[in-house]
């Protein structure tokens, strides 16, 4: 393990955290293309409902579920990145302890 691996993971953790905060604010840029497409379809469906004078709750519910699914995806990604970072740190500590104990003095 090198410091470069930790720096790379820290950079990815920061980027994923920014994406998660943006999704919570309702921004679309962190969404995948499939999620954006579903969100656009839900918006179009809601606009059609408004035009026809109907309720938009179905479209709003779909948009909320897409946003919460994206939030769950980013949370899982963040958890995996933190786990990988911890694994690298533990591995480095184990190697360091092994080197120290192998000395004759």
């Amino acid at each position: 393990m090198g410091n470069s691996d930790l720096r790379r993971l820290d950079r990815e953790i920061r980027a994923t955290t920014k994406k998660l905060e943006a999704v919570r604010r309702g921004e679309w840029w962190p969404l995948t293309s499939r999620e954006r497409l579903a969100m656009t379809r839900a918006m179009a469906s809601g606009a059609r409902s408004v035009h026809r004078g109907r309720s938009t709750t179905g479209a709003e519910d779909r948009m909320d579920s897409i946003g919460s699914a994206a939030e769950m995806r980013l949370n899982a990604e963040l958890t995996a990145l933190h786990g990988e970072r911890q694994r690298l740190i533990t591995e480095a500590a184990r190697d360091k302890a092994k080197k120290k104990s192998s000395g004759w003095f």
Side-chain angles (χ1 to χ4, degrees), residues 1 83-103:
M1 177 210 93
E84 179 66 15
R85 185 178 192 283
Q86 189 59 47
R87 186 189 65 77
L88 287 174
I89 290 172
T90 304
E91 196 174 285
R94 192 174 294 133
D95 290 345
K96 188 175 181 179
K98 189 176 177 183
K99 274 186 191 176
K100 272 192 165 184
S101 68
S102 67

Side-chain angles (χ1 to χ4, degrees), residues 32-75:
T32 63
S33 59
R34 190 170 274 181
E35 290 166 342
R36 278 192 211 125
L37 179 64
M39 195 72 90
T40 305
R41 283 182 177 160
M43 273 184 76
S45 168
R48 190 167 152 240
S49 296
V50 166
H51 181 70
R52 291 182 173 201
R54 296 187 181 143
S55 173
T56 60
T57 52
E60 288 173 1
D61 289 345
R62 248 176 283 139
M63 288 177 72
D64 287 342
S65 70
I66 293 165
S68 65
E71 194 173 327
M72 283 177 23
R73 174 182 56 83
L74 289 169
N75 268 328

Side-chain angles (χ1 to χ4, degrees), residues 5-42:
D5 291 335
L6 277 179
R7 278 195 298 271
R8 179 186 57 82
L9 277 173
D10 286 340
R11 190 169 39 250
E12 287 181 32
I13 287 171
R14 278 193 302 274
T16 306
T17 304
K18 283 182 183 177
K19 287 180 184 181
L20 184 59
E21 290 169 1
V23 166
R24 286 181 179 153
R25 285 191 304 266
E27 297 176 17
W28 284 26
W29 66 265
L31 300 179
T32 63
S33 59
R34 190 170 274 181
E35 290 166 342
R36 278 192 211 125
L37 179 64
M39 195 72 90
T40 305
R41 283 182 177 160

